[in-house]
Amino acid sequence: MPNEDIDTSNLQSLEKYRTYNRYITYAERANNKEVWWKTYRGYVEQADPEHGAEQVDIGLPCRHPSRTKEVKERGKVMKANKKDADLERACRLRTFKIPLDRVQESWESSCGPHHIKKLAEHYGVFRDLFPRAFFLPQVPLRIHYCQEPSSQVHYGNVLTPTEAALPPQVSFKAEEGSLWTLLLTCPDEHLQDNDLEYVHWLVGNIPGGAVCSGEELCQYLPPFPARGTGFHRYIYVLFKQDRTIDYQEETRTLSCHSLADRSFKTVEFYRKHQDHMTPAGLAFFQSQWDESVTKTFHETFDMREPVFEFIRPPVYHPPQVKFPHKQPLRYLDRYRDGKAHTYGIY
């Protein structure tokens, strides 16, 4: 064991290091010495060789604003607010209303992309779509399935397959003349291979922010999480192109109701076009089975609906003892056969 050769009964006889440099030398020598036991890092690396590997940033370059400039602008705003008598009166009377649109814009332009990145890491988006890579979503996506605010796609909110049955309205800020690619995929839905995905929507060469004017490479398909499989993640990824891309190989048939043709791999799609596209936007929602999924399997795919059921194991009880000591009065109830007991007619 470590330090087993040290005589703890006579610590005064131990050699003193005398200087800090000499202590560092001995510490590094002891650290590099081979030992028979394993550290926590050793066990983790043996189970997962890629644990702790450095991830690659594949997104757009992040522009860090000048801290001095931000402090000066904040100081000017604070001085202007102190001189505003109407603002002081509204705050004192508790009638001041905060414009949420301006708060949303400020969040999106400052710390919003970093918060979205943390949420994506929490939900395993980068792990399943871009292994050993990540990006900072700098382009906010506005995705609405209907006019109701509850049907908007955020970052992990829950929508039903019925609410997402029709193609959504997608908008984002884009420079004039720029080209984009929009992808909707699900890494949890494949029925045969856990490493594959189903592509639900793919639109390429989008001019500016007009999604309806882009090339629809694969028509929209509503979510169809199988019954008994829990929540599935449906992820929108926005790529920025530097030129027009030929998507002839990625183009599906007009309807594309074949699950085999919809099998997809986001990382392979990106690697194929990585020289001319960069991930820039991200949004995702969760969904689980409802009645519309049955209709999708029967009418759209013309197949039987797969149903997954969880078989619960029997409840474990320790072996019954003849004289249970310090047990509750209902101790014997756990060992009954569970059938209804009859006590006869009296």
Side-chain angles (χ1 to χ4, degrees):
M1 295 301 292
N3 302 327
E4 63 180 357
D5 56 338
I6 297 178
D7 184 11
T8 57
S9 60
N10 189 10
L11 297 178
Q12 298 297 331
S13 63
L14 296 178
E15 183 183 1
K16 305 299 188 296
Y17 293 109
R18 296 189 297 274
T19 62
Y20 179 75
N21 293 335
R22 195 162 181 263
Y23 163 75
I24 291 295
T25 303
Y26 277 86
E28 292 178 351
R29 189 181 304 170
N31 187 35
N32 298 330
K33 185 179 178 181
E34 294 185 2
V35 293
W36 60 268
W37 62 85
K38 285 185 179 180
T39 60
Y40 172 76
R41 180 182 299 178
Y43 282 105
V44 172
E45 291 179 353
Q46 182 179 3
D48 184 10
E50 296 184 358
H51 176 76
E54 183 178 359
Q55 293 186 336
V56 181
D57 187 0
I58 60 175
L60 297 173
C62 182
R63 299 178 181 178
H64 298 281
S66 174
R67 178 63 179 173
T68 305
K69 186 177 180 180
E70 287 185 348
V71 173
K72 289 183 179 179
E73 291 180 355
R74 187 178 302 173
K76 292 180 181 179
V77 173
M78 292 178 64
K79 288 182 180 179
N81 290 340
K82 290 180 179 179
K83 296 179 181 180
D84 192 345
D86 296 335
L87 178 62
E88 185 274 334
R89 186 182 177 206
C91 293
R92 178 164 41 85
L93 298 178
R94 299 182 180 181
T95 58
F96 177 70
K97 296 183 180 180
I98 300 177
L100 298 181
D101 295 339
R102 292 179 56 186
V103 175
Q104 180 75 13
E105 293 178 1
S106 176
W107 175 77
E108 291 176 351
S109 60
S110 57
C111 57
H114 299 277
H115 293 170
I116 299 173
K117 174 178 171 291
K118 290 183 178 180
L119 286 171
E121 291 176 345
H122 174 74
Y123 282 96
V125 173
F126 299 138
R127 178 197 61 204
D128 295 334
L129 297 189
F130 305 96
R132 301 183 62 180
F134 72 95
F135 67 91
L136 201 64
Q138 301 187 36
V139 180
L141 285 173
R142 305 279 195 280
I143 304 175
H144 299 268
Y145 275 99
C146 62
Q147 300 299 329
E148 298 180 2
S150 60
S151 298
Q152 182 178 355
V153 178
H154 297 287
Y155 310 102
N157 59 314
V158 178
L159 297 178
T160 63
T162 303
E163 294 175 335
L166 299 177
Q169 298 179 358
V170 183
S171 61
F172 54 90
K173 294 182 180 180
E175 302 86 0
E176 186 177 356
S178 59
L179 295 174
W180 306 80
T181 296
L182 182 65
L183 168 68
L184 172 59
T185 182
C186 178
D188 308 318
E189 209 171 37
H190 208 280
L191 299 175
Q192 296 179 341
D193 192 346
N194 292 333
D195 295 331
L196 292 179
E197 312 158 18
Y198 283 136
V199 56
H200 285 256
W201 200 22
L202 184 58
V203 185
N205 296 320
I206 301 173
V211 178
C212 57
S213 301
E215 301 177 12
E216 192 172 39
L217 311 176
C218 185
Q219 282 190 349
Y220 181 82
L221 181 67
F224 54 95
R227 187 172 188 175
T229 57
F231 286 95
H232 292 195
R233 297 164 296 172
Y234 295 87
I235 306 169
Y236 284 90
V237 182
L238 181 66
F239 298 90
K240 185 175 183 180
Q241 307 173 201
D242 58 2
R243 66 173 181 84
T244 303
I245 299 178
D246 184 11
Y247 286 120
Q248 185 175 1
E249 297 182 1
E250 283 76 18
T251 304
R252 268 73 171 176
T253 57
L254 184 61
S255 57
C256 191
H257 292 163
S258 172
L259 292 179
D261 295 339
R262 291 218 176 231
S263 295
F264 190 76
K265 193 72 174 175
T266 301
V267 64
E268 295 180 359
F269 172 75
Y270 170 71
R271 287 172 180 170
K272 184 177 180 180
H273 305 286
Q274 63 180 347
D275 295 336
H276 307 291
M277 65 162 48
T278 306
L282 181 69
F284 55 96
F285 67 95
Q286 300 181 84
S287 185
Q288 65 176 346
W289 182 91
D290 68 357
E291 291 78 5
S292 65
V293 177
T294 305
K295 182 179 179 181
T296 301
F297 276 104
H298 291 174
E299 299 182 3
T300 303
F301 299 135
D302 192 18
M303 60 178 290
R304 294 179 59 184
E305 180 187 9
V307 177
F308 298 86
E309 296 181 356
F310 177 73
I311 302 176
R312 295 186 177 275
V315 180
Y316 170 76
H317 295 298
Q320 184 180 1
V321 296
K322 188 175 183 179
F323 300 103
H325 182 58
K326 294 184 177 180
Q327 295 293 336
L329 295 176
R330 298 178 60 87
Y331 172 78
L332 295 177
D333 291 347
R334 68 177 66 179
Y335 299 101
R336 301 185 188 277
D337 54 5
K339 299 180 181 178
H341 300 284
T342 58
Y343 301 98
I345 301 176
Y346 296 96

